[in-house]
Coordinates of all heavy atoms in Angstrom, one line a residue:
L176 N -27.0 -27.1 -85.6 CA -27.4 -27.7 -86.9 C -28.1 -29.0 -86.9 O -29.2 -29.1 -87.6 CB -26.1 -27.9 -87.8 CG -26.3 -28.3 -89.2 CD1 -27.2 -27.3 -90.0 CD2 -25.0 -28.5 -89.9
R309 N -10.8 -27.5 -68.1 CA -10.8 -26.1 -68.5 C -10.5 -25.2 -67.3 O -9.8 -24.2 -67.3 CB -12.0 -25.7 -69.2 CG -12.2 -26.3 -70.6 CD -13.4 -25.7 -71.3 NE -13.2 -24.4 -71.7 CZ -14.2 -23.5 -71.8 NH1 -15.4 -23.9 -71.7 NH2 -13.9 -22.2 -72.2
T392 N -20.1 -6.8 -73.8 CA -20.7 -5.5 -74.0 C -21.0 -4.8 -72.7 O -20.9 -5.4 -71.6 CB -22.0 -5.6 -74.8 OG1 -23.0 -6.3 -73.9 CG2 -21.9 -6.4 -76.1
L402 N -25.9 -9.0 -60.7 CA -25.8 -10.3 -60.1 C -24.8 -10.2 -58.9 O -25.1 -10.7 -57.8 CB -25.3 -11.3 -61.1 CG -25.1 -12.7 -60.5 CD1 -26.4 -13.3 -60.0 CD2 -24.4 -13.6 -61.6
A464 N -28.1 -23.8 26.5 CA -27.3 -23.9 27.8 C -26.2 -23.0 27.7 O -25.8 -22.5 26.6 CB -26.8 -25.4 28.0
D476 N -21.8 -14.9 14.2 CA -20.8 -13.9 13.7 C -20.2 -14.4 12.3 O -20.1 -13.6 11.4 CB -19.6 -13.9 14.7 CG -18.5 -13.0 14.2 OD1 -18.7 -11.7 14.2 OD2 -17.4 -13.5 13.9
K501 N -13.0 2.3 -8.2 CA -11.8 3.1 -8.2 C -10.7 2.4 -7.4 O -11.0 1.6 -6.5 CB -12.0 4.5 -7.6 CG -13.1 5.3 -8.3 CD -12.7 5.5 -9.8 CE -13.8 6.4 -10.5 NZ -13.5 6.6 -11.9
P522 N -8.4 -19.9 9.0 CA -9.6 -20.5 9.7 C -10.4 -21.4 8.7 O -10.9 -22.4 9.1 CB -10.4 -19.3 10.2 CG -9.4 -18.2 10.4 CD -8.4 -18.4 9.3
C524 N -9.3 -22.9 6.1 CA -8.5 -24.1 5.9 C -8.6 -25.1 7.0 O -8.8 -26.3 6.8 CB -7.1 -23.8 5.6 SG -6.8 -22.9 4.1
I560 N -9.9 -23.2 -1.8 CA -10.3 -24.0 -0.6 C -11.7 -24.6 -0.8 O -11.9 -25.8 -0.4 CB -10.3 -23.1 0.7 CG1 -8.9 -22.7 1.0 CG2 -10.9 -23.9 1.9 CD1 -8.8 -21.5 2.0
G577 N 11.3 -11.5 -13.9 CA 11.8 -10.3 -14.6 C 11.3 -9.1 -13.9 O 11.6 -8.9 -12.7
L649 N 1.8 -9.2 -11.7 CA 1.7 -7.7 -11.5 C 3.0 -7.1 -11.7 O 4.1 -7.7 -11.3 CB 1.2 -7.5 -10.0 CG -0.2 -7.9 -9.7 CD1 -0.4 -7.9 -8.2 CD2 -1.3 -7.1 -10.4
P674 N -10.0 1.2 21.8 CA -10.2 2.6 21.9 C -10.8 3.0 23.3 O -11.6 2.2 23.8 CB -11.2 2.9 20.8 CG -11.9 1.7 20.5 CD -10.9 0.6 20.8
N691 N -29.6 2.5 15.5 CA -29.3 3.5 16.5 C -28.9 2.9 17.8 O -27.9 3.3 18.5 CB -30.6 4.3 16.8 CG -30.4 5.6 17.6 OD1 -29.7 5.5 18.6 ND2 -30.9 6.7 17.1
I694 N -25.2 1.5 17.5 CA -24.2 2.5 17.5 C -24.0 3.0 18.9 O -22.9 3.2 19.4 CB -24.5 3.6 16.5 CG1 -24.6 3.1 15.1 CG2 -23.4 4.7 16.6 CD1 -23.4 2.3 14.6
A748 N -21.4 28.8 14.3 CA -20.0 29.2 14.5 C -19.3 28.2 15.4 O -18.1 27.8 15.2 CB -20.0 30.6 15.1
P754 N -15.9 17.6 15.1 CA -15.6 16.3 14.4 C -17.0 15.6 14.1 O -17.9 15.6 14.9 CB -14.8 15.5 15.4 CG -14.2 16.5 16.3 CD -15.2 17.6 16.4
L788 N -15.3 1.7 14.3 CA -16.0 2.9 14.7 C -15.4 3.6 15.9 O -15.1 4.8 15.9 CB -17.5 2.6 15.0 CG -18.4 3.8 15.5 CD1 -18.4 4.9 14.5 CD2 -19.8 3.3 15.9

Side-chain angles (χ1 to χ4, degrees):
L176 185 60
R309 292 185 68 204
T392 65
L402 180 62
D476 179 70
K501 303 298 181 184
C524 291
I560 295 167
L649 295 168
N691 192 311
I694 301 304
L788 177 61

